Amino acid sequence: MSDPLRLGIAGLGTVGAGVLRIVRQKTALMRARTGREIVISAVSARDRNRDRGVPIGDYAWEDDAVALAKRDDVDIFVELIGGENGPAKAATEAALNAGKDVVTANKALLAHHGQALAELAEAKGAVLRFEAAVAGGIPVIKTLTEALAGNDITRVMGVMNGTCNYILTRMEDAGLSYEEAFAEADGLGYLEADPNLDVGGIDAGHKLSILAAIAFGTQVNFDAVELEGIGRVTIEDIRQAADMGYRIKLLGVSRMTGRGLEQSMAPCLVPETSPLGQLQGGTNMVVIDGDQVGQIVLRGAGAGAGPTASAVMGDILDIARGTRVATFGQPATSLRAAKPARAATPVPYYLRMALLDKPGALAKVATALGDAGISINRMRQYDHVTDTAPVLIVTHKTTQESLDAALAAMGKTGVVDGEPVALRIEEV
Ligand code: HSE
């Protein structure tokens, strides 16, 4: 039997406590699978005395995560503190500088500092693993870096924020307004301390930028993600989209194009019958298209103690087995700085507008679309509500640029009341 593998765990919240529980309860299973004993040397958190439902008295205590990361009796530093800077970053850097392997669940850290940390890990001969950072329990990092390594990836997309999917699903199923569904999610404790991380699309954008780096061999670039949250999605859009056979999801999509790397996280329509359309509640889904494998769909819990700790343990056991994969699937110094490109791959669009009850109003809207080279696929007008009528249009594939031109022209017709809603329809 090899020497025990000694963990130092920083951050004892939901996920940290979940990891402690697995390490304490599954000793024999882990020994059988790796040939090594997995032990915890020391832990660190903000509050030593909080009841976590799992005893911590057997382990050395450090108030300071950086001190924990540097301990001689720690082989793997497990970072479960969170946050893009502060102690999480300082302790991760300290561990890597000391040549220790790091396992983290921290998407913000990777999205903002992934390239520098990957280069540091490589320079020090350490590995940096982060399966739990993207889509909780779904093994998407391992799938992309290892199982699909023989593919050119053509698109990676997914629903990667369970809270947003819960809110959108409740709006659709229970007819709740955005505000009501948000309050319900808040009551259930789903929202991050800063809710904008969830509903503003930032958390999901972090995850998309990490997946794009692995999929396309590029330096992680969160700042280039085109971000739009779900705050402007109305119950009307949810209903009208459903009427046309679609569901609205906060969808991340990344593609490498001739113009550069597209990364977009925004509310999109997907066919109701597609796997993404069927995704309910807080569940996550990642859809990957590879030139050899075709399309694969991964679905599972994106948060929670068990699923996230499961992903952390997968990384720890890989290290115990001697698996050492480059952070983003290839040497950090070989990752390209991709040119960011605005999402411009032609897709169909869903448009909803309130049209004034005037002769020729519909013709003017159709002309604005036609003049921009946009062809209408489907159209529906509902009964007038006072002096306007809701009109829905599904276009054939067109670019964002053409759509912007059409929307600008519509604004000048004087027959559209307010701003039309325009949402991409992603084909899956
Ligand atoms: N807040 C995230 C979600 C989980 O709702 O999916 C952590 O990334």
Side-chain angles (χ1 to χ4, degrees), residues 105 107 132-136 159-166 190-192 197-198 203-204 207 282-284 301-304 308:
K107 60 230 78 177
V134 180
V159 168
M160 291 177 271
N161 184 277
T163 305
C164 287
N165 204 54
Y166 178 84
Y190 287 179
L191 287 156
E192 301 276 343
L197 287 175
D198 286 317
D203 167 84
K207 295 166 181 167
T283 313
N284 282 199
T308 314

PDB file of all heavy atoms in Angstrom, residues 105 107 132-136 159-166 190-192 197-198 203-204 207 282-284 301-304 308, ligand 1:
ATOM      1  N   ALA A 105     -13.591  24.066  -6.220  1.00  0.00           N
ATOM      2  CA  ALA A 105     -14.948  24.123  -6.789  1.00  0.00           C
ATOM      3  C   ALA A 105     -15.249  25.550  -7.242  1.00  0.00           C
ATOM      4  O   ALA A 105     -16.397  25.898  -7.490  1.00  0.00           O
ATOM      5  CB  ALA A 105     -15.964  23.696  -5.731  1.00  0.00           C
ATOM      6  N   LYS A 107     -15.595  28.487  -9.478  1.00  0.00           N
ATOM      7  CA  LYS A 107     -15.718  28.905 -10.881  1.00  0.00           C
ATOM      8  C   LYS A 107     -15.241  30.330 -11.112  1.00  0.00           C
ATOM      9  O   LYS A 107     -14.643  30.640 -12.136  1.00  0.00           O
ATOM     10  CB  LYS A 107     -17.157  28.733 -11.368  1.00  0.00           C
ATOM     11  CG  LYS A 107     -18.173  29.535 -10.596  1.00  0.00           C
ATOM     12  CD  LYS A 107     -19.353  28.721 -10.139  1.00  0.00           C
ATOM     13  CE  LYS A 107     -18.963  27.908  -8.923  1.00  0.00           C
ATOM     14  NZ  LYS A 107     -20.032  27.129  -8.346  1.00  0.00           N
ATOM     15  N   ALA A 132     -15.821  20.294  -9.901  1.00  0.00           N
ATOM     16  CA  ALA A 132     -17.007  20.803  -9.187  1.00  0.00           C
ATOM     17  C   ALA A 132     -17.336  22.248  -9.550  1.00  0.00           C
ATOM     18  O   ALA A 132     -18.397  22.753  -9.177  1.00  0.00           O
ATOM     19  CB  ALA A 132     -16.779  20.700  -7.684  1.00  0.00           C
ATOM     20  N   ALA A 133     -16.431  22.910 -10.279  1.00  0.00           N
ATOM     21  CA  ALA A 133     -16.674  24.324 -10.590  1.00  0.00           C
ATOM     22  C   ALA A 133     -17.749  24.501 -11.661  1.00  0.00           C
ATOM     23  O   ALA A 133     -18.354  25.561 -11.761  1.00  0.00           O
ATOM     24  CB  ALA A 133     -15.369  24.990 -11.046  1.00  0.00           C
ATOM     25  N   VAL A 134     -17.969  23.488 -12.495  1.00  0.00           N
ATOM     26  CA  VAL A 134     -18.920  23.635 -13.599  1.00  0.00           C
ATOM     27  C   VAL A 134     -19.993  22.550 -13.513  1.00  0.00           C
ATOM     28  O   VAL A 134     -19.688  21.357 -13.563  1.00  0.00           O
ATOM     29  CB  VAL A 134     -18.205  23.549 -14.964  1.00  0.00           C
ATOM     30  CG1 VAL A 134     -19.213  23.692 -16.101  1.00  0.00           C
ATOM     31  CG2 VAL A 134     -17.119  24.609 -15.067  1.00  0.00           C
ATOM     32  N   ALA A 135     -21.223  22.990 -13.364  1.00  0.00           N
ATOM     33  CA  ALA A 135     -22.378  22.082 -13.393  1.00  0.00           C
ATOM     34  C   ALA A 135     -22.325  21.022 -12.297  1.00  0.00           C
ATOM     35  O   ALA A 135     -22.737  19.872 -12.511  1.00  0.00           O
ATOM     36  CB  ALA A 135     -22.528  21.445 -14.780  1.00  0.00           C
ATOM     37  N   GLY A 136     -21.845  21.405 -11.121  1.00  0.00           N
ATOM     38  CA  GLY A 136     -21.922  20.569  -9.911  1.00  0.00           C
ATOM     39  C   GLY A 136     -21.482  19.134 -10.125  1.00  0.00           C
ATOM     40  O   GLY A 136     -20.322  18.853 -10.380  1.00  0.00           O
ATOM     41  N   VAL A 159     -27.405  24.695 -19.917  1.00  0.00           N
ATOM     42  CA  VAL A 159     -28.075  25.376 -18.814  1.00  0.00           C
ATOM     43  C   VAL A 159     -27.240  25.061 -17.590  1.00  0.00           C
ATOM     44  O   VAL A 159     -27.162  23.908 -17.165  1.00  0.00           O
ATOM     45  CB  VAL A 159     -29.521  24.853 -18.660  1.00  0.00           C
ATOM     46  CG1 VAL A 159     -30.134  25.317 -17.353  1.00  0.00           C
ATOM     47  CG2 VAL A 159     -30.362  25.289 -19.844  1.00  0.00           C
ATOM     48  N   MET A 160     -26.556  26.069 -17.062  1.00  0.00           N
ATOM     49  CA  MET A 160     -25.560  25.799 -16.019  1.00  0.00           C
ATOM     50  C   MET A 160     -25.827  26.591 -14.744  1.00  0.00           C
ATOM     51  O   MET A 160     -24.950  26.703 -13.904  1.00  0.00           O
ATOM     52  CB  MET A 160     -24.167  26.093 -16.570  1.00  0.00           C
ATOM     53  CG  MET A 160     -23.789  25.073 -17.640  1.00  0.00           C
ATOM     54  SD  MET A 160     -22.213  25.410 -18.384  1.00  0.00           S
ATOM     55  CE  MET A 160     -22.678  26.468 -19.712  1.00  0.00           C
ATOM     56  N   ASN A 161     -26.999  27.144 -14.621  1.00  0.00           N
ATOM     57  CA  ASN A 161     -27.378  27.766 -13.353  1.00  0.00           C
ATOM     58  C   ASN A 161     -28.754  27.247 -12.963  1.00  0.00           C
ATOM     59  O   ASN A 161     -29.765  27.583 -13.585  1.00  0.00           O
ATOM     60  CB  ASN A 161     -27.385  29.292 -13.462  1.00  0.00           C
ATOM     61  CG  ASN A 161     -27.690  29.933 -12.118  1.00  0.00           C
ATOM     62  OD1 ASN A 161     -28.837  30.067 -11.719  1.00  0.00           O
ATOM     63  ND2 ASN A 161     -26.653  30.290 -11.380  1.00  0.00           N
ATOM     64  N   GLY A 162     -28.761  26.404 -11.944  1.00  0.00           N
ATOM     65  CA  GLY A 162     -29.998  25.747 -11.533  1.00  0.00           C
ATOM     66  C   GLY A 162     -31.027  26.725 -11.008  1.00  0.00           C
ATOM     67  O   GLY A 162     -32.229  26.539 -11.193  1.00  0.00           O
ATOM     68  N   THR A 163     -30.556  27.789 -10.343  1.00  0.00           N
ATOM     69  CA  THR A 163     -31.490  28.759  -9.771  1.00  0.00           C
ATOM     70  C   THR A 163     -32.299  29.435 -10.881  1.00  0.00           C
ATOM     71  O   THR A 163     -33.520  29.576 -10.778  1.00  0.00           O
ATOM     72  CB  THR A 163     -30.712  29.807  -8.952  1.00  0.00           C
ATOM     73  OG1 THR A 163     -29.923  29.109  -7.991  1.00  0.00           O
ATOM     74  CG2 THR A 163     -31.641  30.768  -8.250  1.00  0.00           C
ATOM     75  N   CYS A 164     -31.616  29.842 -11.946  1.00  0.00           N
ATOM     76  CA  CYS A 164     -32.333  30.477 -13.069  1.00  0.00           C
ATOM     77  C   CYS A 164     -33.294  29.486 -13.709  1.00  0.00           C
ATOM     78  O   CYS A 164     -34.418  29.847 -14.067  1.00  0.00           O
ATOM     79  CB  CYS A 164     -31.337  30.978 -14.118  1.00  0.00           C
ATOM     80  SG  CYS A 164     -30.445  32.434 -13.581  1.00  0.00           S
ATOM     81  N   ASN A 165     -32.857  28.249 -13.846  1.00  0.00           N
ATOM     82  CA  ASN A 165     -33.756  27.280 -14.475  1.00  0.00           C
ATOM     83  C   ASN A 165     -34.972  27.016 -13.592  1.00  0.00           C
ATOM     84  O   ASN A 165     -36.080  26.830 -14.095  1.00  0.00           O
ATOM     85  CB  ASN A 165     -33.030  25.975 -14.790  1.00  0.00           C
ATOM     86  CG  ASN A 165     -33.724  25.224 -15.904  1.00  0.00           C
ATOM     87  OD1 ASN A 165     -33.957  25.777 -16.985  1.00  0.00           O
ATOM     88  ND2 ASN A 165     -34.120  23.986 -15.648  1.00  0.00           N
ATOM     89  N   TYR A 166     -34.748  27.038 -12.283  1.00  0.00           N
ATOM     90  CA  TYR A 166     -35.870  26.872 -11.349  1.00  0.00           C
ATOM     91  C   TYR A 166     -36.863  28.024 -11.526  1.00  0.00           C
ATOM     92  O   TYR A 166     -38.075  27.813 -11.644  1.00  0.00           O
ATOM     93  CB  TYR A 166     -35.354  26.827  -9.901  1.00  0.00           C
ATOM     94  CG  TYR A 166     -36.469  26.701  -8.901  1.00  0.00           C
ATOM     95  CD1 TYR A 166     -37.006  25.460  -8.587  1.00  0.00           C
ATOM     96  CD2 TYR A 166     -37.029  27.840  -8.316  1.00  0.00           C
ATOM     97  CE1 TYR A 166     -38.071  25.355  -7.696  1.00  0.00           C
ATOM     98  CE2 TYR A 166     -38.084  27.741  -7.429  1.00  0.00           C
ATOM     99  CZ  TYR A 166     -38.606  26.496  -7.119  1.00  0.00           C
ATOM    100  OH  TYR A 166     -39.656  26.402  -6.252  1.00  0.00           O
ATOM    101  N   TYR A 190     -32.029  29.094  -2.548  1.00  0.00           N
ATOM    102  CA  TYR A 190     -31.304  28.758  -3.777  1.00  0.00           C
ATOM    103  C   TYR A 190     -30.342  29.849  -4.221  1.00  0.00           C
ATOM    104  O   TYR A 190     -29.382  29.579  -4.933  1.00  0.00           O
ATOM    105  CB  TYR A 190     -32.288  28.507  -4.931  1.00  0.00           C
ATOM    106  CG  TYR A 190     -33.047  27.206  -4.851  1.00  0.00           C
ATOM    107  CD1 TYR A 190     -33.977  26.870  -5.825  1.00  0.00           C
ATOM    108  CD2 TYR A 190     -32.839  26.299  -3.813  1.00  0.00           C
ATOM    109  CE1 TYR A 190     -34.689  25.678  -5.773  1.00  0.00           C
ATOM    110  CE2 TYR A 190     -33.550  25.107  -3.748  1.00  0.00           C
ATOM    111  CZ  TYR A 190     -34.471  24.810  -4.734  1.00  0.00           C
ATOM    112  OH  TYR A 190     -35.175  23.642  -4.674  1.00  0.00           O
ATOM    113  N   LEU A 191     -30.651  31.101  -3.855  1.00  0.00           N
ATOM    114  CA  LEU A 191     -29.882  32.213  -4.430  1.00  0.00           C
ATOM    115  C   LEU A 191     -28.528  32.382  -3.753  1.00  0.00           C
ATOM    116  O   LEU A 191     -28.388  32.178  -2.541  1.00  0.00           O
ATOM    117  CB  LEU A 191     -30.680  33.509  -4.307  1.00  0.00           C
ATOM    118  CG  LEU A 191     -31.869  33.605  -5.276  1.00  0.00           C
ATOM    119  CD1 LEU A 191     -32.922  34.549  -4.751  1.00  0.00           C
ATOM    120  CD2 LEU A 191     -31.395  34.037  -6.649  1.00  0.00           C
ATOM    121  N   GLU A 192     -27.532  32.766  -4.552  1.00  0.00           N
ATOM    122  CA  GLU A 192     -26.221  33.101  -4.008  1.00  0.00           C
ATOM    123  C   GLU A 192     -26.374  34.331  -3.105  1.00  0.00           C
ATOM    124  O   GLU A 192     -27.353  35.081  -3.225  1.00  0.00           O
ATOM    125  CB  GLU A 192     -25.243  33.453  -5.147  1.00  0.00           C
ATOM    126  CG  GLU A 192     -25.032  32.349  -6.173  1.00  0.00           C
ATOM    127  CD  GLU A 192     -23.988  31.330  -5.744  1.00  0.00           C
ATOM    128  OE1 GLU A 192     -23.197  31.604  -4.835  1.00  0.00           O
ATOM    129  OE2 GLU A 192     -23.992  30.227  -6.323  1.00  0.00           O
ATOM    130  N   LEU A 197     -25.293  37.203  -9.163  1.00  0.00           N
ATOM    131  CA  LEU A 197     -24.425  36.146  -9.695  1.00  0.00           C
ATOM    132  C   LEU A 197     -25.278  35.104 -10.418  1.00  0.00           C
ATOM    133  O   LEU A 197     -24.897  34.585 -11.464  1.00  0.00           O
ATOM    134  CB  LEU A 197     -23.631  35.472  -8.568  1.00  0.00           C
ATOM    135  CG  LEU A 197     -22.482  36.270  -7.955  1.00  0.00           C
ATOM    136  CD1 LEU A 197     -21.877  35.515  -6.783  1.00  0.00           C
ATOM    137  CD2 LEU A 197     -21.395  36.547  -8.996  1.00  0.00           C
ATOM    138  N   ASP A 198     -26.446  34.802  -9.852  1.00  0.00           N
ATOM    139  CA  ASP A 198     -27.357  33.843 -10.483  1.00  0.00           C
ATOM    140  C   ASP A 198     -28.149  34.508 -11.610  1.00  0.00           C
ATOM    141  O   ASP A 198     -27.956  34.195 -12.780  1.00  0.00           O
ATOM    142  CB  ASP A 198     -28.338  33.273  -9.446  1.00  0.00           C
ATOM    143  CG  ASP A 198     -27.683  32.269  -8.504  1.00  0.00           C
ATOM    144  OD1 ASP A 198     -26.906  31.432  -8.978  1.00  0.00           O
ATOM    145  OD2 ASP A 198     -27.969  32.325  -7.299  1.00  0.00           O
ATOM    146  N   ASP A 203     -22.647  33.745 -12.794  1.00  0.00           N
ATOM    147  CA  ASP A 203     -22.218  32.399 -12.383  1.00  0.00           C
ATOM    148  C   ASP A 203     -22.195  31.452 -13.594  1.00  0.00           C
ATOM    149  O   ASP A 203     -21.206  30.737 -13.824  1.00  0.00           O
ATOM    150  CB  ASP A 203     -23.191  31.893 -11.303  1.00  0.00           C
ATOM    151  CG  ASP A 203     -23.061  30.416 -11.015  1.00  0.00           C
ATOM    152  OD1 ASP A 203     -22.185  30.051 -10.207  1.00  0.00           O
ATOM    153  OD2 ASP A 203     -23.835  29.628 -11.576  1.00  0.00           O
ATOM    154  N   ALA A 204     -23.241  31.473 -14.382  1.00  0.00           N
ATOM    155  CA  ALA A 204     -23.297  30.605 -15.555  1.00  0.00           C
ATOM    156  C   ALA A 204     -22.255  31.048 -16.594  1.00  0.00           C
ATOM    157  O   ALA A 204     -21.652  30.210 -17.278  1.00  0.00           O
ATOM    158  CB  ALA A 204     -24.695  30.630 -16.157  1.00  0.00           C
ATOM    159  N   LYS A 207     -18.909  29.639 -15.797  1.00  0.00           N
ATOM    160  CA  LYS A 207     -18.825  28.218 -16.163  1.00  0.00           C
ATOM    161  C   LYS A 207     -18.628  28.068 -17.670  1.00  0.00           C
ATOM    162  O   LYS A 207     -17.818  27.254 -18.129  1.00  0.00           O
ATOM    163  CB  LYS A 207     -20.094  27.501 -15.699  1.00  0.00           C
ATOM    164  CG  LYS A 207     -20.230  27.480 -14.172  1.00  0.00           C
ATOM    165  CD  LYS A 207     -21.636  27.074 -13.728  1.00  0.00           C
ATOM    166  CE  LYS A 207     -21.766  27.091 -12.211  1.00  0.00           C
ATOM    167  NZ  LYS A 207     -23.147  27.011 -11.735  1.00  0.00           N
ATOM    168  N   GLY A 282     -34.131  22.811 -10.813  1.00  0.00           N
ATOM    169  CA  GLY A 282     -32.742  23.224 -10.582  1.00  0.00           C
ATOM    170  C   GLY A 282     -31.695  22.373 -11.274  1.00  0.00           C
ATOM    171  O   GLY A 282     -30.507  22.491 -10.967  1.00  0.00           O
ATOM    172  N   THR A 283     -32.111  21.552 -12.204  1.00  0.00           N
ATOM    173  CA  THR A 283     -31.161  20.636 -12.855  1.00  0.00           C
ATOM    174  C   THR A 283     -30.323  21.370 -13.908  1.00  0.00           C
ATOM    175  O   THR A 283     -30.760  22.371 -14.460  1.00  0.00           O
ATOM    176  CB  THR A 283     -31.957  19.486 -13.512  1.00  0.00           C
ATOM    177  OG1 THR A 283     -32.895  19.029 -12.569  1.00  0.00           O
ATOM    178  CG2 THR A 283     -31.071  18.337 -13.929  1.00  0.00           C
ATOM    179  N   ASN A 284     -29.128  20.877 -14.158  1.00  0.00           N
ATOM    180  CA  ASN A 284     -28.241  21.441 -15.196  1.00  0.00           C
ATOM    181  C   ASN A 284     -28.170  20.480 -16.378  1.00  0.00           C
ATOM    182  O   ASN A 284     -28.413  19.282 -16.229  1.00  0.00           O
ATOM    183  CB  ASN A 284     -26.817  21.612 -14.661  1.00  0.00           C
ATOM    184  CG  ASN A 284     -26.633  22.837 -13.763  1.00  0.00           C
ATOM    185  OD1 ASN A 284     -25.530  23.289 -13.549  1.00  0.00           O
ATOM    186  ND2 ASN A 284     -27.710  23.374 -13.227  1.00  0.00           N
ATOM    187  N   ALA A 301     -27.503  17.089 -11.315  1.00  0.00           N
ATOM    188  CA  ALA A 301     -27.625  18.149 -10.314  1.00  0.00           C
ATOM    189  C   ALA A 301     -26.448  19.108 -10.420  1.00  0.00           C
ATOM    190  O   ALA A 301     -25.295  18.691 -10.435  1.00  0.00           O
ATOM    191  CB  ALA A 301     -27.680  17.540  -8.922  1.00  0.00           C
ATOM    192  N   GLY A 302     -26.760  20.411 -10.490  1.00  0.00           N
ATOM    193  CA  GLY A 302     -25.714  21.414 -10.651  1.00  0.00           C
ATOM    194  C   GLY A 302     -25.248  22.025  -9.346  1.00  0.00           C
ATOM    195  O   GLY A 302     -24.352  22.856  -9.328  1.00  0.00           O
ATOM    196  N   ALA A 303     -25.856  21.622  -8.248  1.00  0.00           N
ATOM    197  CA  ALA A 303     -25.488  22.199  -6.944  1.00  0.00           C
ATOM    198  C   ALA A 303     -25.885  21.209  -5.858  1.00  0.00           C
ATOM    199  O   ALA A 303     -26.426  20.144  -6.138  1.00  0.00           O
ATOM    200  CB  ALA A 303     -26.199  23.538  -6.746  1.00  0.00           C
ATOM    201  N   GLY A 304     -25.583  21.586  -4.608  1.00  0.00           N
ATOM    202  CA  GLY A 304     -25.952  20.728  -3.483  1.00  0.00           C
ATOM    203  C   GLY A 304     -24.750  19.989  -2.943  1.00  0.00           C
ATOM    204  O   GLY A 304     -23.757  19.774  -3.652  1.00  0.00           O
ATOM    205  N   THR A 308     -21.952  18.129  -5.552  1.00  0.00           N
ATOM    206  CA  THR A 308     -20.718  18.922  -5.688  1.00  0.00           C
ATOM    207  C   THR A 308     -19.551  18.208  -4.999  1.00  0.00           C
ATOM    208  O   THR A 308     -18.433  18.163  -5.535  1.00  0.00           O
ATOM    209  CB  THR A 308     -20.932  20.344  -5.126  1.00  0.00           C
ATOM    210  OG1 THR A 308     -22.165  20.853  -5.624  1.00  0.00           O
ATOM    211  CG2 THR A 308     -19.816  21.274  -5.542  1.00  0.00           C
TER     212      THR A 308
HETATM  213  N1  HSE B   1     -25.855  29.128  -7.830  1.00  0.00           N
HETATM  214  C1  HSE B   1     -25.534  28.055  -8.711  1.00  0.00           C
HETATM  215  C2  HSE B   1     -26.813  27.528  -9.338  1.00  0.00           C
HETATM  216  C3  HSE B   1     -24.808  26.907  -8.066  1.00  0.00           C
HETATM  217  O1  HSE B   1     -27.901  27.975  -9.006  1.00  0.00           O
HETATM  218  O2  HSE B   1     -26.710  26.660 -10.189  1.00  0.00           O
HETATM  219  C4  HSE B   1     -23.372  27.225  -7.844  1.00  0.00           C
HETATM  220  O3  HSE B   1     -22.725  27.563  -9.030  1.00  0.00           O
END
